[in-house]
CSV table of all heavy atoms in Angstrom, one decimal:
chain,number,residue,atom,x,y,z
T,84,ARG,N,13.5,17.7,24.1
T,84,ARG,CA,12.4,17.1,24.8
T,84,ARG,C,11.9,18.0,25.9
T,84,ARG,O,12.5,18.2,27.0
T,84,ARG,CB,12.8,15.7,25.4
T,84,ARG,CG,13.1,14.7,24.3
T,84,ARG,CD,13.2,13.3,24.9
T,84,ARG,NE,14.4,13.2,25.8
T,84,ARG,CZ,15.6,13.0,25.4
T,84,ARG,NH1,15.9,12.8,24.2
T,84,ARG,NH2,16.6,12.9,26.3
T,85,ILE,N,10.8,18.7,25.6
T,85,ILE,CA,10.3,19.7,26.5
T,85,ILE,C,9.1,19.2,27.3
T,85,ILE,O,8.1,18.7,26.8
T,85,ILE,CB,9.8,21.0,25.8
T,85,ILE,CG1,10.9,21.6,24.9
T,85,ILE,CG2,9.2,22.0,26.8
T,85,ILE,CD1,10.5,22.8,24.1
T,86,ARG,N,9.2,19.3,28.7
T,86,ARG,CA,8.0,19.0,29.5
T,86,ARG,C,7.5,20.4,29.9
T,86,ARG,O,8.2,21.2,30.5
T,86,ARG,CB,8.4,18.3,30.8
T,86,ARG,CG,7.3,18.1,31.7
T,86,ARG,CD,7.7,17.4,33.0
T,86,ARG,NE,6.6,17.3,34.0
T,86,ARG,CZ,6.8,16.8,35.2
T,86,ARG,NH1,8.0,16.3,35.5
T,86,ARG,NH2,5.8,16.7,36.0
T,87,LEU,N,6.3,20.7,29.6
T,87,LEU,CA,5.6,22.0,29.9
T,87,LEU,C,4.8,21.8,31.2
T,87,LEU,O,3.9,21.0,31.3
T,87,LEU,CB,4.7,22.4,28.8
T,87,LEU,CG,3.8,23.6,29.1
T,87,LEU,CD1,4.7,24.9,29.3
T,87,LEU,CD2,2.8,23.8,28.0
T,88,ILE,N,5.2,22.6,32.3
T,88,ILE,CA,4.4,22.6,33.5
T,88,ILE,C,3.7,23.9,33.4
T,88,ILE,O,4.3,25.0,33.5
T,88,ILE,CB,5.3,22.5,34.8
T,88,ILE,CG1,6.2,21.3,34.7
T,88,ILE,CG2,4.4,22.6,36.0
T,88,ILE,CD1,7.1,21.2,36.0
T,89,GLN,N,2.4,23.9,33.2
T,89,GLN,CA,1.6,25.1,32.9
T,89,GLN,C,0.6,25.3,34.0
T,89,GLN,O,-0.2,24.5,34.4
T,89,GLN,CB,0.9,24.8,31.6
T,89,GLN,CG,-0.2,25.9,31.2
T,89,GLN,CD,0.5,27.2,30.8
T,89,GLN,OE1,1.4,27.3,30.0
T,89,GLN,NE2,0.0,28.3,31.4
T,90,GLY,N,0.7,26.6,34.6
T,90,GLY,CA,-0.4,27.0,35.6
T,90,GLY,C,-1.7,27.0,34.8
T,90,GLY,O,-1.8,27.6,33.8
T,91,ILE,N,-2.7,26.3,35.4
T,91,ILE,CA,-4.0,26.1,34.7
T,91,ILE,C,-4.7,27.5,34.6
T,91,ILE,O,-4.9,28.2,35.6
T,91,ILE,CB,-4.9,25.1,35.5
T,91,ILE,CG1,-4.2,23.7,35.6
T,91,ILE,CG2,-6.3,25.0,34.8
T,91,ILE,CD1,-4.9,22.8,36.5
T,92,SER,N,-5.1,27.8,33.3
T,92,SER,CA,-5.8,29.0,33.1
T,92,SER,C,-7.2,28.7,32.7
T,92,SER,O,-7.6,27.5,32.6
T,92,SER,CB,-5.1,29.8,32.0
T,92,SER,OG,-4.8,28.9,30.9
T,93,ARG,N,-8.0,29.7,32.5
T,93,ARG,CA,-9.4,29.5,32.2
T,93,ARG,C,-9.6,28.7,30.9
T,93,ARG,O,-8.8,28.8,30.0
T,93,ARG,CB,-10.1,30.8,31.9
T,93,ARG,CG,-10.5,31.6,33.2
T,93,ARG,CD,-11.1,32.9,32.8
T,93,ARG,NE,-10.4,34.0,33.5
T,93,ARG,CZ,-10.8,34.5,34.7
T,93,ARG,NH1,-11.8,33.9,35.3
T,93,ARG,NH2,-10.2,35.5,35.2
T,94,GLY,N,-10.7,27.9,30.9
T,94,GLY,CA,-11.1,26.9,29.9
T,94,GLY,C,-10.4,27.0,28.5
T,94,GLY,O,-9.5,26.3,28.3
T,95,GLU,N,-10.8,28.0,27.7
T,95,GLU,CA,-10.3,27.9,26.3
T,95,GLU,C,-8.9,28.3,26.2
T,95,GLU,O,-8.2,27.9,25.3
T,95,GLU,CB,-11.3,28.7,25.4
T,95,GLU,CG,-11.3,30.2,25.5
T,95,GLU,CD,-12.1,30.7,26.7
T,95,GLU,OE1,-12.6,29.9,27.5
T,95,GLU,OE2,-12.2,31.9,26.8
T,96,ARG,N,-8.4,29.1,27.2
T,96,ARG,CA,-6.9,29.5,27.1
T,96,ARG,C,-6.1,28.2,27.3
T,96,ARG,O,-5.1,28.0,26.7
T,96,ARG,CB,-6.6,30.5,28.2
T,96,ARG,CG,-7.1,31.8,27.9
T,96,ARG,CD,-6.5,32.8,28.9
T,96,ARG,NE,-7.2,34.1,28.7
T,96,ARG,CZ,-7.2,35.1,29.5
T,96,ARG,NH1,-6.5,35.0,30.6
T,96,ARG,NH2,-7.8,36.2,29.2
T,97,MET,N,-6.5,27.4,28.3
T,97,MET,CA,-5.7,26.2,28.6
T,97,MET,C,-5.8,25.2,27.4
T,97,MET,O,-4.8,24.6,27.0
T,97,MET,CB,-6.3,25.6,29.9
T,97,MET,CG,-5.4,24.5,30.4
T,97,MET,SD,-3.8,25.1,31.0
T,97,MET,CE,-3.0,23.5,31.3
T,98,ASP,N,-7.0,25.2,26.8
T,98,ASP,CA,-7.2,24.3,25.7
T,98,ASP,C,-6.3,24.7,24.5
T,98,ASP,O,-5.6,23.9,23.9
T,98,ASP,CB,-8.6,24.4,25.1
T,98,ASP,CG,-9.7,23.8,26.1
T,98,ASP,OD1,-9.3,23.2,27.1
T,98,ASP,OD2,-10.9,23.9,25.8
T,99,PHE,N,-6.1,26.0,24.4
T,99,PHE,CA,-5.3,26.6,23.3
T,99,PHE,C,-3.8,26.2,23.6
T,99,PHE,O,-3.1,25.8,22.7
T,99,PHE,CB,-5.5,28.1,23.4
T,99,PHE,CG,-4.8,28.9,22.2
T,99,PHE,CD1,-5.4,28.9,21.0
T,99,PHE,CD2,-3.7,29.6,22.4
T,99,PHE,CE1,-4.8,29.6,19.9
T,99,PHE,CE2,-3.1,30.3,21.4
T,99,PHE,CZ,-3.7,30.3,20.1
T,100,VAL,N,-3.4,26.3,24.8
T,100,VAL,CA,-2.0,26.0,25.2
T,100,VAL,C,-1.8,24.5,24.9
T,100,VAL,O,-0.8,24.1,24.3
T,100,VAL,CB,-1.7,26.3,26.6
T,100,VAL,CG1,-0.3,25.7,27.0
T,100,VAL,CG2,-1.7,27.8,26.9
T,101,VAL,N,-2.7,23.6,25.3
T,101,VAL,CA,-2.5,22.2,25.1
T,101,VAL,C,-2.4,21.9,23.6
T,101,VAL,O,-1.5,21.1,23.2
T,101,VAL,CB,-3.7,21.4,25.8
T,101,VAL,CG1,-3.7,19.9,25.4
T,101,VAL,CG2,-3.7,21.5,27.3
T,102,GLN,N,-3.3,22.5,22.8
T,102,GLN,CA,-3.3,22.2,21.4
T,102,GLN,C,-2.0,22.7,20.7
T,102,GLN,O,-1.3,22.0,20.0
T,102,GLN,CB,-4.5,22.9,20.7
T,102,GLN,CG,-4.7,22.6,19.3
T,102,GLN,CD,-5.8,23.3,18.7
T,102,GLN,OE1,-5.8,24.6,18.6
T,102,GLN,NE2,-6.8,22.6,18.1
T,103,LYS,N,-1.7,23.9,21.0
T,103,LYS,CA,-0.5,24.5,20.3
T,103,LYS,C,0.8,24.0,20.8
T,103,LYS,O,1.8,23.8,20.0
T,103,LYS,CB,-0.5,26.1,20.4
T,103,LYS,CG,-1.8,26.7,19.9
T,103,LYS,CD,-2.1,26.3,18.5
T,103,LYS,CE,-3.5,26.9,18.0
T,103,LYS,NZ,-4.0,26.1,16.9
T,104,ALA,N,0.9,23.7,22.1
T,104,ALA,CA,2.1,23.1,22.6
T,104,ALA,C,2.4,21.7,22.0
T,104,ALA,O,3.5,21.3,21.7
T,104,ALA,CB,2.0,23.0,24.2
T,105,THR,N,1.3,21.0,21.7
T,105,THR,CA,1.4,19.7,21.1
T,105,THR,C,1.9,19.9,19.7
T,105,THR,O,2.9,19.2,19.2
T,105,THR,CB,0.0,19.0,21.0
T,105,THR,OG1,-0.4,18.8,22.4
T,105,THR,CG2,0.1,17.6,20.4
T,106,GLU,N,1.3,20.8,18.9
T,106,GLU,CA,1.8,21.1,17.6
T,106,GLU,C,3.3,21.5,17.6
T,106,GLU,O,4.0,21.2,16.7
T,106,GLU,CB,1.0,22.3,16.9
T,106,GLU,CG,-0.4,21.9,16.6
T,106,GLU,CD,-1.2,23.2,16.2
T,106,GLU,OE1,-0.6,24.1,15.6
T,106,GLU,OE2,-2.4,23.2,16.5
T,107,LEU,N,3.7,22.3,18.6
T,107,LEU,CA,5.1,22.8,18.7
T,107,LEU,C,6.0,21.7,19.2
T,107,LEU,O,7.2,21.9,19.4
T,107,LEU,CB,5.1,24.0,19.5
T,107,LEU,CG,4.6,25.3,18.8
T,107,LEU,CD1,4.4,26.4,19.8
T,107,LEU,CD2,5.5,25.7,17.6
T,108,GLY,N,5.5,20.5,19.5
T,108,GLY,CA,6.4,19.4,19.8
T,108,GLY,C,6.7,19.1,21.2
T,108,GLY,O,7.7,18.4,21.5
T,109,VAL,N,6.0,19.6,22.2
T,109,VAL,CA,6.3,19.3,23.6
T,109,VAL,C,6.1,17.8,23.9
T,109,VAL,O,5.2,17.2,23.3
T,109,VAL,CB,5.6,20.1,24.7
T,109,VAL,CG1,5.8,21.6,24.5
T,109,VAL,CG2,4.1,19.8,24.7
T,110,ARG,N,6.9,17.2,24.8
T,110,ARG,CA,6.8,15.8,25.0
T,110,ARG,C,5.9,15.4,26.1
T,110,ARG,O,5.5,14.3,26.3
T,110,ARG,CB,8.2,15.3,25.4
T,110,ARG,CG,9.2,15.3,24.3
T,110,ARG,CD,8.9,14.3,23.2
T,110,ARG,NE,9.9,14.4,22.2
T,110,ARG,CZ,10.8,13.4,21.9
T,110,ARG,NH1,10.9,12.3,22.6
T,110,ARG,NH2,11.7,13.6,20.9
T,111,ARG,N,5.5,16.4,27.0
T,111,ARG,CA,4.7,16.1,28.1
T,111,ARG,C,4.1,17.4,28.7
T,111,ARG,O,4.8,18.4,28.7
T,111,ARG,CB,5.5,15.4,29.2
T,111,ARG,CG,4.8,15.1,30.5
T,111,ARG,CD,5.7,14.3,31.4
T,111,ARG,NE,5.2,14.1,32.7
T,111,ARG,CZ,5.8,13.6,33.8
T,111,ARG,NH1,7.1,13.2,33.6
T,111,ARG,NH2,5.2,13.5,34.9
T,112,ILE,N,2.8,17.3,29.1
T,112,ILE,CA,2.2,18.5,29.6
T,112,ILE,C,1.7,18.2,31.0
T,112,ILE,O,1.0,17.2,31.3
T,112,ILE,CB,1.0,18.9,28.7
T,112,ILE,CG1,1.5,19.2,27.3
T,112,ILE,CG2,0.3,20.2,29.3
T,112,ILE,CD1,0.4,19.4,26.3
Side-chain angles (χ1 to χ4, degrees):
R84 294 192 295 276
I85 302 177
R86 174 182 177 186
L87 171 66
I88 304 180
Q89 171 71 50
I91 299 170
S92 49
R93 280 179 231 273
E95 69 283 1
R96 283 190 190 167
M97 190 66 190
D98 292 356
F99 189 77
V100 171
V101 169
Q102 184 185 61
K103 304 303 172 202
T105 302
E106 290 171 33
L107 287 168
V109 302
R110 293 289 178 113
R111 177 175 172 187
I112 302 172

